[in-house]
């Protein structure tokens, strides 16, 4: 099944609009700073279309804001207060933004893979391998007539100062 191509501009616009509407009334400045910083990384990813680092930072920023949004909602949700219509709208848009973020993360991860990013998560301990098949030998790069060891002198030569 082919994943539909979603434009990064559309993701940024939707989250920008929902963040503005979510910040209207009840959330603290830390919510605003965190989400607009994440959106700034998204603008960076949009401006540098070939950059793997930019899209990865946007993806990581989005996943971090998922966690911080949950914390903000848990701490600052008005439990017993009388909420106005504007407050309900603001709360609803902030929650809708949070609901859409995992889906946006999925699409941004697809963009990351398209740009050449390959982030595989390994939970194993690092190991040292002796497989050197992927390496090219240094000695194969020298022409056949040149000496591969410039500092090793032959047996009939006396040690002397070399000019470089």
């Amino acid at each position: 099944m082919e994943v539909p191509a979603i434009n990064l501009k559309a993701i940024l616009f939707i989250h920008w609009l929902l963040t503005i509407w979510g910040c209207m009334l009840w959330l603290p400045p830390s919510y605003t700073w965190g989400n607009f910083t994440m959106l700034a990384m998204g603008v960076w990813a949009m401006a540098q279309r070939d950059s793997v680092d930019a899209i990865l930072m946007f993806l990581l920023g989005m996943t971090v804001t998922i966690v911080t949004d949950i914390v903000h909602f848990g701490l600052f949700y008005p439990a017993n207060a009388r909420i106005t219509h504007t407050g309900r709208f603001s709360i609803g848009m902030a929650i809708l933004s949070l609901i859409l973020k995992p889906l946006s993360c999925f699409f941004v991860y697809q963009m990351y893979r398209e740009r050449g990013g390959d982030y595989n998560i390994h939970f194993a301990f690092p190991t040292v391998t002796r497989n050197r098949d992927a390496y090219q030998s240094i000695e194969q790069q020298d022409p056949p007539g040149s000496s591969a060891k410039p500092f090793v002198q032959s047996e009939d030569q006396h040690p002397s100062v070399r000019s470089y």
Side-chain angles (χ1 to χ4, degrees):
M1 185 172 146
E2 185 75 21
V3 177
I6 300 294
N7 194 352
L8 185 59
K9 292 176 188 178
I11 293 172
L12 286 172
F13 178 73
I14 289 169
H15 284 289
W16 173 78
L17 192 63
L18 292 175
T19 301
I20 286 176
W21 285 341
C23 295
M24 284 193 320
L25 196 60
W26 66 286
L27 285 167
S30 58
Y31 175 85
T32 307
W33 277 102
N35 280 287
F36 281 122
T37 302
M38 179 263 308
L39 290 171
M41 287 186 273
V43 170
W44 174 37
M46 186 177 62
Q48 292 186 348
R49 295 183 183 267
D50 296 334
S51 176
V52 177
D53 294 335
I55 198 78
L56 179 64
M57 289 299 293
F58 179 51
L59 179 63
L60 292 175
M62 193 169 285
T63 51
V64 166
T65 56
I66 290 172
V67 175
T68 59
D69 288 357
I70 292 170
V71 170
H72 281 108
F73 296 162
L75 292 176
F76 295 103
Y77 188 82
N80 295 330
R82 186 176 174 109
I83 302 171
T84 63
H85 294 295
T86 307
R88 265 187 250 157
F89 177 77
S90 177
I91 291 169
M93 294 301 110
I95 291 173
L96 181 61
S97 176
L98 177 62
I99 291 171
L100 290 178
K101 278 184 184 178
L103 182 64
S104 297
C105 283
F106 174 73
F107 289 123
V108 171
Y109 180 72
Q110 294 300 322
M111 292 176 206
Y112 170 70
R113 297 291 302 252
E114 289 173 3
R115 291 186 185 191
D118 186 24
Y119 189 71
N120 295 325
I121 300 173
H122 300 289
F123 292 107
F125 291 105
T127 60
V128 178
T129 62
R130 294 285 181 187
N131 185 4
R132 296 196 173 124
D133 293 336
Y135 295 105
Q136 182 181 6
S137 175
I138 296 173
E139 294 173 3
Q140 291 176 356
Q141 294 178 357
D142 291 334
S146 67
S147 172
K149 299 177 183 176
F151 298 109
V152 176
Q153 296 179 357
S154 63
E155 297 169 1
D156 58 341
Q157 291 181 351
H158 299 287
S160 62
V161 177
R162 292 185 177 202
S163 62
Y164 294 102

